[in-house]
Amino acid sequence: MRIATFNINGIKARLPRLLEWLDETRPDIACLQEIKTSDETFPVKDIEDAGYGVIWHGQKGFNGVAILARGDQPVEVRRGLEGEPEDEQSRYLEAYVKGVRVASIYLPNGNPQPGPKFDYKLRWMKRLRERAAEIWAEEVPAILAGDYNVIPRDVDIYSPKAMADDALMQPESREAYRRLLGDGWTDSILTRHPAGGVWTYWDYQAGAWPRDAGFRIDHLLLSPAAADRLVDAQVDKAFRGREKASDHAPTWVELRDI
């Protein structure tokens, strides 16, 4: 079973690239972030015509997450995180798919920091950890997949100095991420590539893609029941180089059948 995460950076603008990727790689489950469309304008027919059932949590022009299942229909478990009733940003969607609990996550960027946006990022990570603990306690195969907007280690970026002041690399962001791992979640890409040097994002600016000046912010965290089935974890890097591509590359894990 292949489960992937892909920050699509606008599903309507990148729809041809998304459909290409689905057709060429055939993930069993795909978690999308930054769909940047309202619920009403989500291209559900195109996704279904590609052979996927889908649920989504949209927001016009910003954020937004979705979960796709090949030949199946995701069963929604939760939409949004508890803890801040006034938070209307579409950043979390959780479903039961093909015997696996899956969450599609678009964690706040947090810039500029310090400031209210960074404070919101840290509060959101705390709320995610609380929900993750509830899922972990169920002892089910589970995957928390998405764009975490956290560069976990210096070896997860081409130049630590270049992003030293960015919210993605602050000690508080990294510590919040480490707490998730400390709670028993497995960073699948880290498991397969402990030395680092694997990127999932390349900015559109300053020739980042041709220079391979990227970093790793898209993560798939596995519960123990999923980690025990881990076969591989990689990045579909070549898709970042296609015409009008997202600035992220699809990232995936393969698990032995549940």
Side-chain angles (χ1 to χ4, degrees):
M1 178 184 291
R2 179 173 293 201
I3 301 99
T5 183
F6 191 3
N7 181 320
I8 197 66
N9 191 13
I11 193 167
K12 289 187 284 187
R14 318 286 174 205
L15 187 59
R17 302 291 81 79
L18 173 63
L19 296 177
E20 281 178 357
W21 172 69
L22 291 174
D23 180 61
E24 292 178 29
T25 68
R26 306 299 288 169
D28 296 284
I29 303 170
C31 296
L32 305 182
Q33 300 85 39
E34 274 201 282
I35 60 175
K36 295 182 178 178
T37 186
S38 67
D39 285 338
E40 295 74 21
T41 57
F42 185 87
V44 58
K45 186 178 185 302
D46 296 278
I47 302 298
E48 290 178 343
D49 287 349
Y52 285 80
V54 59
I55 59 173
W56 63 95
H57 183 20
Q59 183 176 341
K60 185 178 179 180
F62 300 94
N63 307 323
V65 287
I67 299 175
L68 287 61
R70 183 160 59 90
D72 203 351
Q73 180 61 35
V75 177
E76 184 172 322
V77 174
R78 179 165 301 205
R79 177 173 297 237
L81 290 173
E82 295 181 349
E84 291 192 30
E86 69 281 6
D87 183 5
E88 297 181 351
Q89 297 189 27
S90 300
R91 295 183 174 276
Y92 185 89
L93 187 61
E94 183 184 321
Y96 188 74
V97 192
K98 298 177 181 286
V100 183
R101 184 73 58 79
V102 179
S104 184
I105 294 164
Y106 180 47
L107 208 144
N109 178 283
N111 285 302
Q113 70 83 29
K117 291 187 176 181
F118 189 61
D119 295 341
Y120 171 63
K121 178 191 187 87
L122 298 181
R123 292 198 311 273
W124 205 95
M125 295 187 79
K126 182 176 183 293
R127 291 159 59 200
L128 174 63
R129 186 185 181 200
E130 290 168 354
R131 178 55 187 160
E134 294 174 346
I135 298 171
W136 197 91
E138 294 181 31
E139 300 183 353
V140 297
I143 300 178
L144 308 179
D147 177 358
Y148 280 68
N149 270 314
V150 176
I151 302 168
R153 308 168 300 159
D154 285 356
V155 294
D156 294 317
I157 183 171
Y158 73 101
S159 170
K161 183 178 179 181
M163 296 280 286
D165 295 327
D166 196 279
L168 279 62
M169 280 188 61
Q170 294 311 297
E172 298 92 336
S173 305
R174 288 178 160 184
E175 178 59 27
Y177 185 80
R178 282 194 295 268
R179 288 191 193 106
L180 278 170
L181 303 187
D183 288 342
W185 294 89
T186 295
D187 182 333
S188 54
I189 291 288
L190 173 62
T191 298
R192 299 297 293 176
H193 302 277
V198 175
W199 321 140
T200 66
Y201 170 88
W202 298 257
D203 200 303
Y204 291 129
Q205 306 300 317
W209 170 247
R211 294 189 296 115
D212 197 27
F215 44 84
R216 184 172 76 97
I217 54 175
D218 301 274
H219 310 305
L220 298 107
L221 303 190
L222 311 181
S223 72
D228 286 346
R229 295 171 168 84
L230 179 62
V231 175
D232 200 5
Q234 303 292 342
V235 180
D236 287 337
K237 182 177 178 179
F239 284 89
R240 173 61 179 83
R242 298 197 177 183
E243 184 180 0
K244 296 182 179 179
S246 171
D247 43 8
H248 294 248
T251 305
W252 52 265
V253 297
E254 281 189 358
L255 307 180
R256 293 193 302 275
D257 286 343
I258 302 301

